[in-house]
């Protein structure tokens, strides 16, 4: 019962009821990434007359956070690549870093040493700054 209400009243938790119905009626499963996100397109790759290209969408595994889409699927989602990574046998290059989610707003976010949110004390001013005053 809890899952039923979550699908009706929340958009940030996986998928809404409307998205589930739309996917069942018009969607074709394309693939899944290592994060468990599932990717869909219109059945048969049909071109949407309003958009002029096929619709593509993702159903997130858990919290709907766009930064959880990996680089290989990002290109397909944004129509940069026509063929999904499942058909390309995509292999990352040795210089590519593994995907990391966006941690902004969380405890794991980057906080430089001068930030007020960083742990420890803020460093003292060095004296190399001279304030601007009008008329100088």
């Amino acid at each position: 019962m809890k899952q039923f209400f979550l699908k009706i009243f929340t958009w940030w938790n996986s998928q809404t009821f409307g998205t589930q119905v739309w996917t069942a009626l018009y969607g074709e499963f394309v693939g899944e990434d290592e994060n468990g996100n599932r990717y869909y397109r219109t059945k048969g790759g049909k071109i949407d007359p309003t958009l002029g290209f096929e619709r593509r969408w993702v159903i997130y595994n858990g919290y709907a956070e766009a930064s959880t889409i990996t680089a290989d699927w990002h290109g397909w989602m944004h129509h940069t690549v026509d063929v999904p990574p499942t058909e390309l046998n995509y292999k990352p290059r040795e210089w590519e870093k593994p995907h990391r989610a966006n941690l902004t707003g969380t405890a794991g976010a980057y906080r430089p040493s001068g930030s007020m949110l960083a742990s420890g004390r803020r460093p003292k001013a060095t004296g190399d700054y001279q304030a601007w005053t009008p008329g100088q």
Side-chain angles (χ1 to χ4, degrees), residues 1-96:
M1 192 59 137
K2 179 182 175 183
Q3 289 298 323
F4 175 74
F5 284 115
L6 283 174
K7 286 191 188 280
I8 291 176
F9 295 110
T10 64
W11 58 265
W12 58 86
N13 190 3
S14 184
Q15 64 179 327
T16 62
F17 183 69
T19 304
Q20 188 175 14
V21 170
W22 176 269
T23 302
L25 293 175
Y26 304 107
E28 172 181 84
F29 178 72
V30 177
E32 187 172 336
D33 66 12
E34 60 263 16
N35 296 330
N37 299 327
R38 298 172 57 88
Y39 298 89
Y40 294 87
R41 67 177 165 206
T42 50
K43 286 184 181 172
K46 183 178 174 187
I47 305 297
D48 187 314
T50 308
L51 299 173
F53 49 83
E54 74 176 5
R55 286 183 184 261
R56 298 175 181 173
W57 65 96
V58 59
I59 296 182
Y60 297 100
N61 181 21
Y63 187 71
E65 172 59 46
S67 69
T68 62
I69 296 176
T70 56
D72 50 346
W73 282 102
H74 182 272
W76 181 79
M77 286 290 296
H78 292 274
H79 298 275
T80 304
V81 179
D82 291 329
V83 182
T86 51
E87 296 176 18
L88 285 178
N89 294 327
Y90 175 82
K91 291 181 182 66
R93 309 255 163 105
E94 66 275 356
W95 47 265
E96 290 183 73

